Amino acid sequence: MFHKPNTHIPEIAVIGSGFAGISAAAYLAKSGYKVDVYEKNNDLGGRARQLHTENGYIFDMGPSWYWMPEVFEKFFNDFGHKASDFYELELLDPGFSIVFGIDDVMDIPADYQSLTALFESIEKGSGEQLASFLTEAEYKYKIGMDKLVYKPGLSVFEFLDADLIKGMFKLQVFTSFSKHVRSFFKHPKLIALMEFPVLFLGAMPEDTPALYSLMNYAGLKLGTWYPKGGFGKVVQAMKSVAETNGVKFHTDEAVVHLEVKDKLISSVRTKTLDKRYDGVIAAADYHHVEEQLLGNADRNYTAAYWDKRVLAPSSLIFYLGLTKRVKRLGHHTLFFEEELKQHAIEIYKTPQWPSKPLFYVCCPSKTDDSVAPDGHENLFILMPLAPDMEDNEDLREKYFHMILDRLEAYTGDQIRVHLDYKKSYCVSDFKADYNSYKGNAYGLANTLMQTANLKPSIRNNHINNLFYAGQLTVPGPGVPPSIISGNVAAKQLIKYFNNKETL
């Protein structure tokens, strides 16, 4: 964008410094705008903050799966860089492991031929079925990434695209993910492998469109990667790109009110200042922005609307530092000794603390010596949990010991007696730190009625210069979609300014 000589350069406030906020800020600054990012916490990154302990551990507090590397690469390419200019990526092999029992473990190899052999060893004929499944999934992935995720979801006319119309049937938007998987595979282990992303990022497999088999393509074909130093390195890299383009970051500066005049946000009030702005990107929790920062007449949605949304899970998380190395753990391990469906029901259908939980363990110190002292181990343990559940120390401890009993039995190592650091994180922390609606960890579930144009709008319908970004709007939950969301929101605000200039 080129501004006319002697004209006012629009100033923009971005609320929130998660991946969506930093992405939006960088794209806006590159287009010539003055951009301030306001972050309520002391550190940038939102859910991707890092926890640095006094005794030498570095924990990624949130995201730990680096999938869809080309989305990260596109961001950096758009600014004349490569991801490798900022951090080193390592392809994990195995990408992850699934534990079905103490002596029943499925390692998911990075090599496709080895993956095919693994499927064939579990279910005869499933190697060919995998090829067919992933061919379909690749089509969805490419159409999704090229045609769908960069659309703002503001009009059905966005989808009047020849490739989209021609491929609508193949995208399987109206087919159940669960039925789709079972039409290819019969063995419960293979079904669990294919359905696990749904538990962590969406809804019941029965309620998720088969379109999202594109996640299987991302995980099984494009690989599971790890940024050396953790996701904090990705945040730092994106921050560096934004600052190089002129973005200014303000930490410990919560936004408390958006002043609206004549259908425009005229000023942004934080706990220490009140400043005029020409436009705002709200990359903080969408519900919080509407309910707490705007008056009732300026909100897109009612409290009743929000209460009816299907949210992806919250989580109970433990950050553990150990004074010894742990056997039998790789970088990513999913503990699926219990039934996936039962845990999913207790998240989505009859919300309660799970009776027989599945959980996930990330052990980045297996790959990265920098995240723990020499000879020590860094463990991140996550149990998906229904949002808005009662959360207290007694419940956290109960599940800590329930999980550690299983983890110690599997590894054959004593873990509790070697604890060097322990911190828990749950529903109330998500609410306190991120103003997270109902304490959700991943945003909206990817149900049919919450896909594309049916998600909360990226544009405020009453305020012309306010747009939203992040996991509660398009394109959806996860790190790559959040980076894309910031890009899309920035383009919409730029479009608003361009239209304004031509009037």
Side-chain angles (χ1 to χ4, degrees):
M1 166 151 188
F2 299 96
H3 302 290
K4 297 172 187 176
N6 302 317
T7 59
H8 168 69
I9 298 176
E11 296 191 43
I12 297 164
V14 175
I15 307 171
S17 72
F19 285 114
I22 300 177
S23 171
Y27 282 107
L28 287 163
K30 182 189 175 190
S31 295
Y33 299 99
K34 294 180 180 177
V35 184
D36 287 313
V37 177
Y38 292 102
E39 169 56 52
K40 75 181 284 289
N41 294 312
N42 292 321
D43 303 309
L44 300 181
R47 285 165 170 78
R49 293 181 301 157
Q50 284 191 320
L51 171 62
H52 293 251
T53 73
E54 291 183 357
N55 53 349
Y57 297 97
I58 301 173
F59 295 98
D60 280 329
M61 294 191 70
S64 58
W65 294 76
Y66 196 104
W67 278 2
M68 306 183 187
E70 78 283 359
V71 174
F72 298 85
E73 204 62 54
K74 173 179 166 40
F75 173 84
F76 293 113
N77 291 170
D78 285 346
F79 296 89
H81 294 287
K82 304 185 296 292
S84 59
D85 294 339
F86 301 97
Y87 53 86
E88 179 188 348
L89 277 180
E90 180 170 335
L91 178 64
L92 301 180
D93 191 12
F96 55 96
S97 301
I98 302 179
V99 175
F100 295 104
I102 288 179
D103 298 312
D104 189 1
V105 184
M106 185 162 66
D107 293 323
I108 309 304
D111 173 68
Y112 179 68
Q113 285 187 328
S114 300
L115 180 67
T116 301
L118 170 66
F119 269 64
E120 197 65 34
S121 71
I122 294 171
E123 179 182 320
K124 189 170 178 56
S126 65
E128 287 186 14
Q129 290 291 85
L130 175 65
S132 300
F133 183 93
L134 289 180
T135 297
E136 288 190 17
E138 180 180 14
Y139 175 83
K140 295 171 193 172
Y141 185 87
K142 289 184 174 175
I143 290 291
M145 299 308 292
D146 293 342
K147 302 284 186 179
L148 292 176
V149 296
Y150 287 92
K151 294 186 182 297
L154 295 173
S155 167
V156 293
F157 295 109
E158 294 171 19
F159 300 96
L160 294 180
D161 175 285
D163 288 336
L164 279 178
I165 293 169
K166 185 173 65 177
M168 191 57 70
F169 180 75
K170 290 168 70 176
L171 290 175
Q172 297 184 300
V173 174
F174 302 105
T175 303
S176 152
F177 186 89
S178 178
K179 286 182 180 176
H180 180 61
V181 169
R182 283 162 175 76
S183 71
F184 285 87
F185 310 106
K186 306 303 178 195
H187 199 285
K189 288 182 182 178
L190 299 183
I191 291 171
L193 166 62
M194 294 310 203
E195 289 186 345
F196 98 82
V198 174
L199 174 69
F200 285 85
L201 292 177
M204 293 284 291
E206 298 94 308
D207 300 326
T208 301
L211 166 68
Y212 289 102
S213 65
L214 62 85
M215 294 293 294
N216 301 115
Y217 174 77
L220 298 178
K221 205 70 183 286
L222 300 181
T224 301
W225 300 78
Y226 173 72
K228 286 293 186 74
F231 266 84
K233 293 293 185 184
V234 185
V235 172
Q236 291 170 22
M238 292 179 64
K239 171 180 180 270
S240 175
V241 166
E243 286 182 327
T244 300
N245 283 273
V247 174
K248 294 181 180 177
F249 290 91
H250 308 270
T251 56
D252 193 24
E253 196 69 80
V255 173
V256 296
H257 183 67
L258 298 174
E259 187 67 30
V260 180
K261 186 177 181 181
D262 299 328
K263 292 190 172 183
L264 294 172
I265 289 180
S266 56
S267 71
V268 173
R269 190 185 310 153
T270 75
K271 63 181 187 178
T272 66
L273 59 83
D274 194 340
K275 184 175 177 180
R276 295 187 63 80
Y277 282 98
D278 302 288
V280 173
I281 299 285
D285 182 270
Y286 197 134
H287 173 268
H288 169 78
V289 171
E290 295 233 316
E291 292 287 320
Q292 301 300 321
L293 307 188
L294 294 173
N296 190 51
D298 297 318
R299 299 168 188 165
N300 274 351
Y301 305 104
T302 64
Y305 167 89
W306 283 109
D307 194 48
K308 290 177 182 175
R309 296 311 92 195
V310 181
L311 294 172
S314 185
S315 298
L316 171 61
I317 301 170
F318 295 103
Y319 310 102
L320 306 180
L322 307 180
T323 58
K324 63 170 290 183
R325 306 307 294 259
V326 180
K327 299 189 291 286
R328 294 197 77 190
L329 276 183
H331 193 111
H332 295 299
T333 309
L334 299 159
F335 284 81
F336 275 30
E337 316 103 297
E338 304 294 350
E339 190 187 354
L340 173 64
K341 185 170 184 177
Q342 182 60 35
H343 193 151
I345 287 171
E346 291 167 344
I347 292 174
Y348 299 109
K349 299 298 185 185
T350 56
Q352 59 189 284
W353 281 78
S355 51
K356 296 180 178 180
L358 301 126
F359 62 94
Y360 154 65
V361 179
C362 181
C363 188
S365 44
K366 295 292 184 186
T367 307
D368 187 350
D369 292 336
S370 73
V371 299
D374 187 38
H376 291 219
E377 209 80 279
N378 173 319
L379 295 185
F380 168 101
I381 300 174
L382 182 148
M383 181 190 81
L385 179 67
D388 219 20
M389 296 301 295
E390 176 192 4
D391 167 25
N392 58 53
E393 204 56 43
D394 287 345
L395 280 166
R396 295 186 189 198
E397 279 299 294
K398 172 186 172 182
Y399 280 85
F400 174 73
H401 290 292
M402 188 185 296
I403 289 168
L404 264 290
D405 284 346
R406 285 162 57 184
L407 188 55
E408 289 182 339
Y410 169 73
T411 61
D413 276 321
Q414 289 188 315
I415 292 174
R416 279 166 279 207
V417 296
H418 291 280
L419 278 176
D420 195 24
Y421 181 86
K422 177 188 174 188
K423 178 182 173 66
S424 64
Y425 201 93
C426 199
V427 174
S428 58
D429 299 300
F430 281 102
K431 291 178 179 179
D433 288 349
Y434 312 121
N435 296 313
S436 172
Y437 182 51
K438 295 186 177 181
N440 82 82
Y442 300 106
L444 286 185
N446 285 321
T447 63
L448 175 59
M449 297 308 293
Q450 294 179 166
T451 294
N453 296 47
L454 300 177
K455 290 183 185 292
S457 177
I458 200 169
R459 177 180 65 198
N460 186 287
N461 299 320
H462 311 287
I463 303 170
N464 296 331
N465 61 347
L466 171 61
F467 294 86
Y468 301 88
Q471 60 184 14
L472 289 173
T473 185
V474 292
V479 176
S482 292
I483 294 172
I484 292 167
S485 184
N487 180 349
V488 174
K491 285 178 180 173
Q492 290 302 304
L493 186 53
I494 292 168
K495 184 178 178 181
Y496 158 76
F497 285 122
N498 289 344
N499 290 342
K500 188 178 172 188
E501 286 183 7
T502 58
L503 292 176

